[in-house]
């Protein structure tokens, strides 16, 4: 769609073509009895006079209103959107949250990073801190203990240790002999005297159980009478029943004892065998300990004792001399790494909230809660600082300067005029049109009109203003585009009234749609 300026330019170009054709006809038309330098006279032609007057120039163009500050906002961190905090049309202030991701995992990362940093810093502090008296005493005690253990190994067993080991072996052998005897007894069975005694105890228990049962039965069939009440009989029955139960238990125990003597007790034999095995193991252990004492320490035991002593001595030396450069550097690197990890986690948490970069109005929201954040999420514009972006023709761009005043008329309000100022001029031609144009940015002044981004407006850029200069109508000036020079046909009237026409080169200055400033070659009144 052509802009207002492009439509005007079309008519200006057409008018210029007509003017050039007219000037060509004027210059090449028949000369009627005019006298040139040889005295030839020509027919009368249109005459204009060089006058002194005022001249101003201006450039016109049209364009669209845009916000001087606008932003298409996206997040540096991906994730699930937790909440969208603004809607289209909302006003937002710089730093105000617009959108927030789910930060549960990010907050956990920050907490873990803080804990890791505290741990690494504590380790570094402990490493470089001087040792306490208690630490030195404990390290020295560890060295002394390790030295004593090594010395004991190298010196071999003492007489006391050998005597104790031999005593342990003899005790273990005695226990083994006793356990073996008990096993033999359990396996061979009881003597005739023990069996006879167990039989007598069984028979006595049988008679006692029978007698107790009979007494209980007698009481059960006895009826209350003048001598025995029901309560007395109940008490007697209870006592008799308890006595019968006890007699039966004694009979069962006597029977079990008699059976064990006659048939043998499997449980006793098993227990005796287990006791023999345990005693044999104790005897073997005592023998091994005695043999080890007599043989002295092995090479492996001595090596282990020496390694323990060396480790204890190294730990004591480290406490006394402090950490090495390598240890200090490693601890510092670990702390720095934890600090960097925490900073990264904090940055990612901060980046999970999209904030407004300036005061403005939300123009678009491209996100909803629950979606994955991707691409441009929110768009903003500062409607308090509008600009009019113009495409100015190359013919007029030379008359446009930064800071130059201008007036604009919105297409929606054709009778309104709003002040403006040229804020910037693009350094290279725009490719938005087939014509050679340059993009010019106008800062829009204050206005009560409800201007909006995207509205079109015509702009008039007020250029140079001259007073008291030589002026000549544009149609009287001939231009040589090949050489970049200008000339006019000056009419000279001699004393006898004879007129001659000469082509005179001139230099020009400012021009508008009607007049051109003459800076050289002519004088007022020519």
């Amino acid at each position: 769609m052509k802009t207002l300026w492009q439509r005007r330019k079309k008519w200006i170009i057409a008018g210029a073509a007509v003017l050039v054709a007219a000037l060509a006809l004027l210059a090449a038309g028949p000369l009627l009895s005019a006298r040139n330098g040889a005295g030839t006279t020509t027919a009368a032609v249109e005459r204009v006079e060089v006058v002194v007057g005022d001249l101003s120039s201006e450039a016109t163009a049209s364009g669209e209103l845009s916000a001087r500050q606008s932003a298409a906002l996206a997040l540096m961190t991906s994730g699930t959107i937790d909440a969208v905090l603004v809607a289209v049309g909302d006003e937002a202030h710089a730093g105000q949250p617009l959108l927030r991701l789910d930060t549960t995992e990010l907050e956990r990362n920050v907490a873990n990073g803080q804990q890791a940093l505290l741990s690494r810093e504590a380790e570094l502090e402990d490493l470089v801190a001087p040792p306490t008296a208690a630490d030195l005493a404990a390290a020295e005690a560890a060295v002394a203990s390790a030295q004593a253990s090594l010395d004991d190994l190298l010196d071999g067993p003492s007489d006391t240790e050998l005597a104790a080991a031999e005593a342990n072996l003899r005790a273990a052998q005695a226990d083994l002999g006793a356990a073996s005897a008990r096993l033999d007894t359990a396996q061979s069975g009881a003597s005739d005297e023990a069996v006879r005694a167990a039989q007598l105890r069984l028979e006595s228990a049988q008679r006692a159980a029978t007698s107790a049962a009979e007494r209980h039965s007698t009481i059960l069939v006895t009826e209350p009478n003048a001598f025995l009440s029901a309560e007395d009989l109940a008490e007697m029955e209870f006592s008799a029943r308890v006595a019968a139960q006890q007699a039966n238990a004694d009979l069962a125990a006597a029977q079990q004892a008699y059976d064990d003597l006659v048939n043998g007790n499997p449980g006793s034999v098993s227990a005796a065998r287990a006791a023999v095995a345990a005693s044999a193991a104790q005897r073997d252990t005592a023998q091994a300990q005695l043999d080890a004492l007599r043989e002295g320490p092995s090479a492996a035991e001595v090596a282990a004792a020496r390694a323990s002593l060396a480790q204890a001595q190294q730990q004591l030396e480290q406490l006394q001399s402090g950490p090495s450069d390598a240890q200090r550097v490693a601890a510092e690197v670990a702390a720095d790494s934890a600090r960097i990890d925490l900073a990264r986690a904090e940055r990612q948490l901060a980046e999970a909230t999209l904030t407004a970069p300036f005061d403005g109005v939300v123009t678009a929201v491209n996100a909803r809660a629950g979606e994955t954040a991707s691409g441009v999420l929110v768009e903003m514009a500062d409607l308090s600082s509008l600009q009019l972006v113009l495409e100015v023709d190359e013919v007029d761009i030379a008359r446009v300067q930064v800071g130059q005043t201008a007036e604009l008329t919105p297409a929606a309000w054709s009778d309104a005029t709003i002040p403006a100022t040229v804020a910037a001029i693009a350094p290279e031609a725009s490719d938005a049109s087939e014509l050679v144009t340059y993009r010019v940015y106008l800062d829009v002044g204050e206005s009560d009109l409800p201007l909006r981004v995207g509205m079109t407006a015509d702009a008039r850029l007020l250029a140079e203003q001259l007073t008291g200069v030589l002026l000549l109508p544009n149609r009287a000036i001939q231009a040589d585009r090949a050489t970049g020079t200008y000339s006019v046909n000056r009419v000279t009237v001699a004393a006898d009234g004879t007129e001659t026409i000469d082509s005179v080169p001139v230099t020009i200055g400012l021009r508008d749609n009607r007049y051109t400033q003459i800076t050289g070659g002519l004088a007022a009144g020519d």
Side-chain angles (χ1 to χ4, degrees):
M1 182 176 182
K2 291 187 178 179
T3 63
L4 179 59
W5 164 242
Q6 289 172 326
R7 293 194 296 270
R8 287 179 177 177
K9 181 123 182 149
K10 176 180 178 181
W11 288 107
I12 291 172
I13 293 173
V18 173
L19 179 58
V20 171
L23 290 175
L25 290 174
L26 176 63
L31 301 179
L32 302 179
S33 59
R35 195 165 53 201
N36 54 18
T40 305
T41 60
T42 66
V45 294
E46 180 186 2
R47 299 178 184 180
V48 294
E49 185 176 343
V50 178
V51 298
V52 177
D54 300 336
L55 182 65
S56 64
S57 67
E58 65 182 33
T60 59
S62 62
E64 289 187 356
L65 290 173
S66 65
R68 184 161 47 186
Q69 284 194 107
S70 61
L73 306 175
L75 286 173
M76 298 296 292
T77 300
S78 63
T80 302
I81 298 173
D82 179 61
V84 178
L85 307 176
V86 292
V88 174
D90 288 351
E91 293 186 357
H93 302 288
Q96 176 180 334
L98 307 176
L99 179 146
R100 183 176 58 246
L101 298 181
D102 182 359
T103 58
T104 303
E105 185 65 24
L106 298 175
E107 291 173 354
R108 185 181 301 111
N109 292 341
V110 170
N112 292 339
Q114 292 171 340
Q115 187 62 36
L117 178 58
L118 290 175
S119 178
R120 299 293 87 77
E121 289 178 339
E123 291 173 357
L124 176 60
E125 184 178 354
D126 290 343
L127 180 66
V128 300
T132 64
D135 292 336
L136 288 173
E140 291 170 350
V143 170
S145 176
Q147 185 66 60
S149 297
L150 177 60
D151 293 342
D152 288 343
L153 282 176
L154 297 177
D155 292 342
S158 63
D159 294 339
T160 302
E161 291 174 334
L162 286 173
E166 292 172 349
N168 288 337
L169 177 58
R170 288 193 296 272
Q173 290 172 338
D175 290 341
L176 178 58
S180 298
R182 287 193 296 273
L183 176 59
D184 293 339
T185 301
Q187 290 176 335
S188 62
S191 63
D192 294 340
E193 292 78 6
V195 172
R196 179 59 182 164
Q199 184 177 5
L200 292 175
R201 287 193 294 273
L202 176 58
E203 292 174 352
S204 175
Q206 287 174 338
R207 290 193 295 272
T210 300
S211 176
E214 290 175 349
R215 284 196 300 274
H216 183 242
S217 299
T218 300
I219 293 173
L220 287 175
V221 299
T222 301
E223 297 289 340
N225 52 47
F227 301 100
L228 295 173
S229 64
E231 291 78 7
D232 292 338
L233 284 174
E235 184 177 351
M236 292 172 63
E237 186 275 332
F238 177 75
S239 298
R241 176 157 42 88
V242 171
Q245 291 173 348
Q246 183 61 49
N248 287 332
D250 293 341
L251 175 59
Q255 183 66 54
Q256 183 64 46
Y258 176 76
D259 292 341
D260 288 344
L261 287 175
V262 173
N263 302 322
N265 186 350
S268 298
V269 173
S270 298
R273 288 175 178 170
V276 170
S279 297
Q282 291 176 353
R283 188 270 320 273
D284 293 342
T285 300
Q287 184 66 57
Q289 290 174 347
L290 178 59
D291 293 342
L293 286 176
R294 288 173 177 173
E295 293 174 359
S298 65
E301 290 174 331
V302 173
R306 292 185 187 278
S308 297
L309 175 60
Q311 183 178 7
Q313 290 173 336
Q314 182 181 10
Q315 291 175 347
L316 175 60
E317 291 173 357
Q318 288 179 348
L319 284 177
Q320 293 173 337
S321 62
S324 65
D325 292 341
Q327 290 174 320
R328 184 182 295 104
V329 169
E332 291 173 350
V333 169
D336 290 341
S337 178
R339 196 172 293 108
I340 292 172
D341 291 341
L342 175 58
R344 183 185 301 111
E346 290 175 338
R347 185 184 70 252
Q348 290 176 343
L349 178 59
E351 290 174 348
T353 300
L354 188 65
T355 57
F358 50 79
D359 293 347
V361 176
V362 177
T363 57
V365 176
N366 307 316
R368 290 184 297 180
E371 295 179 342
T372 300
S374 177
V376 175
L377 302 175
V378 177
E379 297 179 29
M380 284 185 59
D382 180 8
L383 301 184
S384 65
S385 57
L386 293 177
Q387 283 188 331
L388 182 65
V389 183
L390 305 175
E391 295 290 342
V392 178
D393 191 273
E394 63 175 335
V395 174
D396 298 320
I397 197 63
R399 292 181 288 167
V400 181
Q401 297 179 354
V402 174
Q404 183 176 337
T405 59
E407 295 178 348
L408 62 89
T409 300
W413 297 277
S414 58
D415 57 346
T417 300
I418 302 173
T421 305
V422 176
I425 303 172
E428 61 180 355
S430 173
D431 57 359
S433 171
E434 295 180 358
L435 302 174
V436 179
T437 60
Y438 289 82
R439 190 160 292 173
V440 176
Y441 299 87
L442 301 184
D443 283 344
V444 180
E446 295 184 1
S447 173
D448 295 332
L449 298 175
L451 301 177
R452 300 180 183 278
V453 173
M455 284 184 171
T456 60
D458 293 330
R460 186 168 65 94
L461 293 88
L462 307 178
E464 195 171 357
Q465 181 79 28
L466 300 176
T467 59
V469 295
L470 295 180
L471 302 177
L472 189 64
N474 295 337
R475 64 183 183 276
I477 301 174
Q478 302 168 22
D480 187 343
R481 298 296 183 181
T483 61
T485 59
Y486 302 89
S487 64
V488 298
N489 292 326
R490 183 175 59 182
V491 180
T492 303
V493 181
D496 59 0
T498 303
E499 297 180 349
T500 59
I501 299 176
D502 301 311
S503 178
V504 179
V506 295
T507 57
I508 66 173
L510 188 65
R511 63 180 297 177
D512 63 10
N513 294 332
R514 296 178 59 197
Y515 290 96
T516 298
Q517 177 192 6
I518 302 299
T519 60
L522 295 176
D526 285 350

